[in-house]
Amino acid sequence: MSVRVRYAPSPTGSPHVGNIRTALFNHLFARRHGGVHILRIEDTDRARLVEGCEDEIRESLRYVGVEWQEGDGVGGAHGPYRQSDRKEAGVYEPVWRRMLEEGSAYWAFDTPEELEEMREFQQINKKPTGYFGGVWRDADPAKADEARAAGKPGVVRLKVPRGETIVLDDAIRGRIEYDSNLVDDPVLIKADGMPTYHFAAMVDDRLMGITHVFRGEEWISSAPKHLVLFRSLGWEPPVFVHVPVIKGKDGAKLSKRHGDTACLDFRRAGYLSGALANFIALIGWAPGGDREVMSMDEMAEAFDLKGIQPSPGVFDLDKLNWMNGVYLRQTPTESLYAGAVDYARREETVGYWAKRVPGPGEVDPHVRLKGLRMLAEADPGYALEAVRLEQERVTTLADLGPACSFFFDEEPEFDPKAVEKWFHEPHVPRLLDHLATALETQDQTWTAEACESLVRGAAEALGLEKLGPAVHPTRVALTGRTVGPGLFELMAALGSDRMLARLKRARGKVGVGA
RNA sequence: GCCCCGGUGGUCUAGCGGUUAGGACGCCUCCCUUUCAAGGAGGAAAUCGCGGGUUCGAUUCCCGUCCGGGGUACCA
């Protein structure tokens, strides 16, 4: 039997990385077994619907490279793939009607107030809370008919058998037993006629031929309800794979207060698709051995349920940063440049940084955006060189902005500390003059090699024992800072005109001749 | 309260009865070097939550316990 899995988000917000990791697992598992991955939208809760977030779901999936061969947006033989549409198409009604007839489900007409009262009573008496029958579970069918005829709002509930042990064979945790006396009768069909998750998801999984259900571990406690439902209908349940949750640094489940958690936030922050996918796959899954940096192909080949962790994992941003750096350095410079330009031009990028509150020691978001904008607008040949030189020094696409800005800003700001440190040396005016004169008088292509001999020659002419005193002030004069790419490469990229202009500007800063 | 799941350095993890408990991130030191990165070499960091068993031998198996998390909805 070939593998069919599904990612079934409910459109109540932009999916966060934990959700998307579940989608990734689905994708990896389907690929590993040559199966089909389906995208199904579970929008049965009309109250929590968030407009437009179905797009964000698809965008998030595309961003991390999760593919689906069937379902929302692509169609397939088991459609429709949105539960509200399925409800309209009448796929659920025959199923629950049949359950009603067979006695595995029943109508209940308790009011919300009555249910609330019941729960309070259970709490006070230290009984398990939940609906274990009330007056309706075993009521005379005529009584239910009567209530319906009277137009009372009612729900359909699953009749969970009592006095049994329900056994779940979880794919990563093994056997889990439940006492059916502690499993309450879940609502299958709400008073508004919409099915609940407990009903719709199971029916759809069955109808769509799903073989393995990947879902968060928060579902473990309702699994017995699902098992009972399948059994009531005479259906073979799928294999349940309850994956661990992803937590924030403080140990609590990942949420807004941990900073960026929506999958798309990471795209906005400049993380590379492959790096994020690789990183989140490794929270809760390990291929065994020491493997870490892996392409999607490699992960798909290695993916195995045995490697999934039963315990929750913490999202470690430091490690993501490291991995992003690895991917970024691996990217061919041409692609990286193209990616950076695309990134810089995205509206979401601007929106993201504009709203950003910088942490301590973090580059001012507006400076970052300015650098990004300059990079995108600069001459491609020149910008490519800038990216080439900064590629191994940055961790995200966003970092490329501030890192490269001195290439494009013809009057880069002087870092006060850099000036303090290097512009007060007595030899500096002569050094800058020497370089400027050479650039003005020698008509040649200033390759990195040529620049190196220029600087070395200057150091020698000034009687400097070491290269540092020549290199550092020159760097400050040219870039305004103390850090950056190798000086000679940087000079070659800048070209003589820029160098000359900057040398002169810096000359003014260090005072009049020596 | 009741039910369920989990527990290897700070973090992600390897391990699947016998290992000096391995790797990665982060941290520290050194090397490289014109700076910063990157890279290379080292280092600190885990009584495998704790207590009992089983066993010649337990991180690995069993029980208890503590701590953390989840569920306890006409939300998913």
Side-chain angles (χ1 to χ4, degrees):
Chain A
M1 182 161 162
S2 74
V3 163
R4 288 174 62 84
V5 291
R6 103 276 121 124
Y7 173 56
S10 68
T12 54
S14 197
H16 71 98
V17 287
N19 293 127
I20 295 301
R21 189 209 44 188
T22 303
L24 220 205
F25 283 175
N26 274 303
H27 172 241
L28 259 15
F29 188 71
R31 279 196 56 183
R32 172 67 181 75
H33 294 97
V36 174
H37 184 207
I38 297 161
L39 174 60
R40 183 174 76 215
I41 303 295
E42 309 212 326
D43 58 345
T44 53
D45 186 351
R46 297 179 315 180
R48 294 202 309 153
L49 263 193
V50 174
E51 207 62 39
C53 86
E54 285 188 30
D55 287 334
E56 302 223 349
I57 290 169
R58 287 185 288 264
E59 273 298 292
S60 299
L61 294 174
R62 288 195 194 97
Y63 170 45
V64 295
V66 169
E67 297 160 358
W68 60 102
Q69 295 74 38
E70 202 178 303
D72 190 56
V74 295
H78 304 267
Y81 292 93
R82 180 179 297 110
Q83 289 183 330
S84 58
D85 294 339
R86 295 177 68 74
K87 193 251 174 188
E88 287 310 305
V91 330
Y92 304 117
E93 188 164 342
V95 181
W96 58 260
R97 289 227 179 266
R98 183 186 135 200
M99 292 179 72
L100 244 18
E101 271 166 38
E102 296 174 351
S104 57
Y106 60 94
W107 282 103
F109 299 88
D110 311 82
T111 65
E113 294 72 35
E114 288 170 333
L115 292 174
E116 188 47 48
E117 214 172 288
M118 174 196 79
R119 265 180 232 114
E120 251 172 61
F121 176 85
Q122 291 167 330
Q123 291 274 17
I124 291 166
N125 292 284
K126 302 184 180 199
K127 300 251 188 191
T129 52
Y131 195 91
F132 293 95
V135 292
W136 296 102
R137 177 171 160 127
D138 298 307
D140 189 325
K143 204 177 153 198
D145 290 343
E146 200 177 297
R148 294 207 66 214
K152 286 183 78 172
V155 300
V156 177
R157 284 183 185 267
L158 176 67
K159 197 179 215 167
V160 177
R162 301 297 163 209
E164 299 187 1
T165 296
I166 301 166
V167 178
L168 166 68
D169 188 22
D170 181 75
I172 67 187
R173 276 159 248 262
R175 184 183 172 96
I176 300 175
E177 296 184 2
Y178 306 83
D179 176 354
S180 82
N181 289 338
L182 299 172
V183 178
D184 64 338
D185 292 353
V187 169
L188 264 20
I189 303 298
K190 307 182 219 181
D192 68 359
M194 284 298 261
T196 61
Y197 170 90
H198 298 304
F199 186 69
M202 301 311 120
V203 170
D204 288 346
D205 285 343
R206 164 69 184 196
L207 265 27
M208 294 179 182
I210 301 303
T211 56
H212 302 257
V213 170
F214 287 75
R215 44 152 48 166
E217 64 176 321
E218 67 270 20
W219 289 109
I220 292 180
S221 27
S222 35
K225 295 170 181 171
H226 307 329
L227 259 5
V228 166
L229 179 70
F230 272 96
R231 200 178 62 193
S232 303
L233 262 357
W235 296 342
E236 186 69 23
V239 175
F240 287 102
V241 187
H242 289 106
V243 304
V245 296
I246 297 181
K247 301 187 299 181
K249 268 254 190 273
D250 58 0
K253 198 173 162 190
L254 212 56
S255 69
K256 314 274 181 300
R257 56 175 301 280
H258 292 101
D260 291 339
T261 56
C263 181
L264 292 178
D265 282 342
F266 291 91
R267 183 171 73 182
R268 297 173 187 129
Y271 290 91
L272 265 23
S273 164
L276 184 66
N278 193 161
F279 176 70
I280 62 178
L282 258 26
I283 305 176
W285 173 68
D290 297 336
R291 297 228 274 161
E292 281 205 320
V293 177
M294 303 170 76
S295 67
M296 191 68 91
D297 286 347
E298 290 169 326
M299 290 197 288
E301 195 180 335
F303 196 75
D304 181 11
L305 298 182
K306 298 278 177 297
I308 298 180
Q309 210 69 13
S311 56
V314 172
F315 192 96
D316 180 5
L317 192 62
D318 283 334
K319 190 155 184 174
L320 204 215
N321 282 331
W322 163 75
M323 191 168 275
N324 203 250
V326 171
Y327 273 78
L328 202 138
R329 273 171 252 123
Q330 273 176 3
T331 307
T333 305
E334 289 73 14
S335 319
L336 184 61
Y337 166 62
V341 170
D342 176 63
Y343 173 70
R345 288 183 178 155
R346 281 174 178 277
E347 229 170 87
E348 64 171 13
T349 302
V350 178
Y352 176 83
W353 290 105
K355 265 188 283 185
R356 173 91 179 182
V357 245
E362 190 179 313
V363 178
D364 181 302
H366 294 95
V367 169
R368 190 185 291 274
L369 282 173
K370 189 183 170 208
L372 250 12
R373 203 182 321 122
M374 290 190 294
L375 172 65
E377 288 164 2
D379 168 74
Y382 181 49
L384 181 67
E385 283 313 298
V387 171
R388 188 190 310 284
L389 294 177
E390 291 292 351
Q391 181 163 12
E392 63 180 82
R393 279 162 243 276
V394 296
T395 66
T396 64
L397 289 177
D399 290 344
L400 242 18
C404 295
S405 65
F406 72 84
F407 282 99
F408 314 117
D409 191 342
E410 297 308 347
E411 297 201 338
E413 200 181 317
F414 286 106
D415 172 359
K417 279 196 226 98
V419 171
E420 174 68 27
K421 180 155 192 202
W422 294 108
F423 276 11
H424 296 324
E425 302 276 328
H427 70 282
V428 172
R430 278 178 294 140
L431 169 69
L432 300 186
D433 287 342
H434 182 106
L435 297 174
T437 307
L439 289 169
E440 271 171 335
T441 55
Q442 296 175 35
D443 184 22
Q444 65 159 289
T445 306
W446 291 99
T447 61
E449 293 70 31
C451 291
E452 176 162 4
S453 25
L454 205 210
V455 175
R456 284 186 186 280
E460 211 171 302
L462 297 192
L464 299 174
E465 307 238 316
K466 287 183 174 174
L467 203 54
V471 164
H472 300 303
T474 306
R475 174 189 300 284
V476 177
L478 260 21
T479 70
R481 25 225 236 200
T482 56
V483 300
L487 181 67
F488 313 131
E489 288 74 36
L490 172 170
M491 290 172 76
L494 248 23
S496 71
D497 289 353
R498 279 196 189 85
M499 283 196 276
L500 219 36
R502 295 180 190 198
L503 248 14
K504 284 185 179 155
R505 186 175 74 112
R507 186 63 180 74
K509 188 110 180 157
V510 296
V512 210

